[in-house]
Amino acid sequence: MNIYGTWNSSILEEEDFAQELLLHLQGIGKYVRAMDIVEYLDREEVKSRLKLTKTISLATAQRWMKNIGYRWSKTPTGQFVDGHERADVVEYRQVVFLPIWAELLSRTRIYAASGNECVVQPPSTRRVIIWNHDESTYYANDRRKIRWVHKSETAVPYAKGEGASLMVADMVSPDYGWLRSPDGTETARVLFKAGKAREGYFMSEDILKQASNAMDILEKHYPDEDHVMVFDNATTHLKRADGALSARHMPKFSPKHGDKWDGTDWGERRQPKNWGVEVPMGDGTFADGSPQSLYYPEGHERAGVCKGMGVILEERGYEGALKIRAECPKFQCEKGATRCCCRRMLYNEPDFVGVKSLLE
């Protein structure tokens, strides 16, 4: 009993209406507005059914959005797990990368937070300019970052925008800014319209072309300094030469049928899984530095045929390699294992480990 009189209650307190309103907003889609409630309640059939003389104000609609579980915030995004703290990555970072980086920084210009160059003793060798490669993709709907998000909405991996995209790839340094000639007529910047029905996809060949153009500009206009270009480890940056050493798909034994190294004479459906490459791999290297051919030489009864991992390892001094299994299940070897399978053994060989990418 209310001894102070009566007051009006909100129709939003009616569970059926709140559910009706929520379903209406969900039917609109991802980008709902408080104004959608105002417009919904302004419909004649809705006002008649709810016995309203007019719709609500925008401020009231914004309060209602919160009452039914929406919050004005950024779209929740999923979190991708990287491998920055893997033991092998940490070891490489501490033992290889950071010492090299420290040596390079000792020859670069140092800037204060204000942007002014700090006065330090100039290096005894040439200055080093570090150029960072940057790729940014802009989408037609990237601007839609903040919206009404319902409390029941879960985070999903964020797809970088919706609609047509434009990728911008460039090189930038703290010393010169974006990489271009002093007069601005030559630039390392690339504008790329990615998509199957557009310009395709930015592949390794495009990266190599951009890097080559950047080096031409540096050699022509900035010859008095040493330049270091820094790229991340994206797949397109790590592509190796077609004939580079790789144990990933190498069979343990030579093919049992036919003499062709690429399996073209095996007959229909007789090629083994993961067998056959378009370009033969180059020579490996023995521990003493001498070359090791991965294929049987001319004059051999199987000349030109790949020896297989077992024979290659035994030639390197690993006795009994032919009796070791080709690969651990799904190539998920036990932590710290080095001789669990032929593929892991070859993976750990210095010449296989030391293969550089085309970009390097």
Side-chain angles (χ1 to χ4, degrees):
M1 180 177 180
N2 178 18
I3 61 175
Y4 300 104
T6 61
W7 57 75
N8 294 327
S9 61
S10 171
I11 59 174
L12 195 61
E13 294 177 3
E14 298 179 13
E15 186 176 339
D16 290 342
F17 173 70
Q19 184 65 22
E20 173 190 339
L21 193 59
L22 182 59
L23 290 174
H24 170 70
L25 294 176
Q26 291 175 344
I28 292 175
K30 185 176 180 179
Y31 299 104
V32 296
R33 309 168 300 158
M35 183 58 70
D36 291 324
I37 297 180
V38 177
E39 294 172 352
Y40 180 69
L41 293 179
D42 199 35
R43 296 178 181 179
E44 290 300 327
E45 70 276 12
V46 176
K47 287 193 294 185
S48 175
R49 177 163 50 84
L50 298 176
K51 299 180 181 180
L52 299 175
T53 57
K54 62 179 181 179
T55 186
I56 61 175
S57 67
L58 179 59
T60 299
Q62 290 171 341
R63 290 197 300 271
W64 282 18
M65 291 289 281
K66 295 179 181 179
N67 290 339
I68 59 178
Y70 283 92
R71 294 295 182 270
W72 183 252
S73 62
K74 288 186 177 181
T75 301
T77 58
Q79 182 177 8
F80 292 93
V81 178
D82 57 43
H84 290 172
E85 300 307 319
R86 279 193 352 233
D88 58 331
V89 176
V90 172
E91 181 181 5
Y92 174 82
R93 182 167 64 236
Q94 297 297 124
V95 178
V96 179
F97 176 77
L98 289 179
I100 294 176
W101 192 251
E103 194 280 328
L104 290 174
L105 290 181
S106 69
R107 297 169 54 195
T108 62
R109 296 182 179 90
I110 305 299
Y111 296 90
S114 62
N116 297 322
E117 182 179 355
C118 299
V119 179
V120 295
Q121 184 69 24
S124 57
T125 55
R126 285 157 52 102
R127 283 284 190 190
V128 167
I129 307 298
I130 295 177
W131 297 90
N132 292 290
H133 183 258
D134 178 75
E135 291 179 16
S136 298
T137 301
Y138 302 91
Y139 291 82
N141 298 329
D142 253 353
R143 62 188 179 277
R144 299 299 299 273
K145 296 288 187 182
I146 300 178
R147 61 184 178 87
W148 286 104
V149 179
H150 192 261
K151 63 182 179 181
S152 64
E153 188 169 336
T154 58
V156 295
Y158 176 56
K160 296 192 72 176
E162 300 171 32
S165 65
L166 177 67
M167 193 201 76
V168 183
D170 210 336
M171 308 291 301
V172 63
S173 80
D175 301 88
Y176 296 107
W178 301 111
L179 176 51
R180 50 186 42 80
S181 61
D183 61 4
T185 58
E186 300 173 67
T187 177
R189 178 168 297 178
V190 174
L191 300 179
F192 194 84
K193 298 177 181 178
K196 186 176 181 180
R198 304 175 80 199
E199 295 180 0
Y201 299 95
F202 204 64
M203 307 298 287
S204 176
E205 294 76 11
D206 301 298
I207 288 290
L208 294 175
K209 183 178 179 180
Q210 183 185 25
S212 178
N213 178 48
M215 287 187 284
D216 289 342
I217 295 174
L218 294 173
E219 188 176 60
K220 179 179 179 181
H221 299 286
Y222 306 96
D224 299 326
E225 296 161 315
D226 291 336
H227 301 274
V228 176
M229 292 190 288
V230 180
F231 294 81
D232 62 23
N233 62 344
T235 305
T236 51
H237 303 165
L238 300 177
K239 187 178 186 303
R240 299 175 175 182
D242 292 335
L245 294 177
S246 174
R248 188 66 190 95
H249 298 297
M250 189 183 295
K252 179 181 177 180
F253 301 105
S254 297
K256 296 180 181 179
H257 303 279
D259 295 327
K260 299 297 183 182
W261 65 269
D262 61 356
T264 54
D265 65 340
W266 282 39
E268 186 178 0
R269 297 186 178 182
R270 297 188 66 184
Q271 291 88 345
K273 184 179 180 181
N274 295 335
W275 179 257
V277 292
E278 295 181 359
V279 179
M281 284 184 282
D283 290 344
T285 306
F286 286 114
D288 62 2
S290 59
Q292 177 194 26
S293 176
L294 307 186
Y295 304 86
Y296 290 112
E298 291 295 330
H300 192 280
E301 61 178 354
R302 309 201 70 189
V305 177
C306 180
K307 298 174 181 177
M309 293 186 292
V311 172
I312 292 171
L313 286 169
E314 292 213 334
E315 288 182 351
R316 294 181 177 221
Y318 294 99
E319 296 182 4
L322 287 169
K323 298 180 181 180
I324 299 176
R325 60 182 172 182
E327 178 181 296
C328 292
K330 297 183 179 180
F331 198 33
Q332 295 179 355
C333 307
E334 292 185 10
K335 185 177 181 180
T338 57
R339 297 197 58 168
C340 53
C341 64
C342 291
R343 202 171 311 286
R344 176 59 59 190
M345 293 168 69
L346 267 187
Y347 253 72
N348 292 335
E349 287 293 283
D351 52 343
F352 280 77
V353 173
V355 175
K356 293 186 177 182
S357 67
L358 290 170
L359 190 57
E360 292 176 283

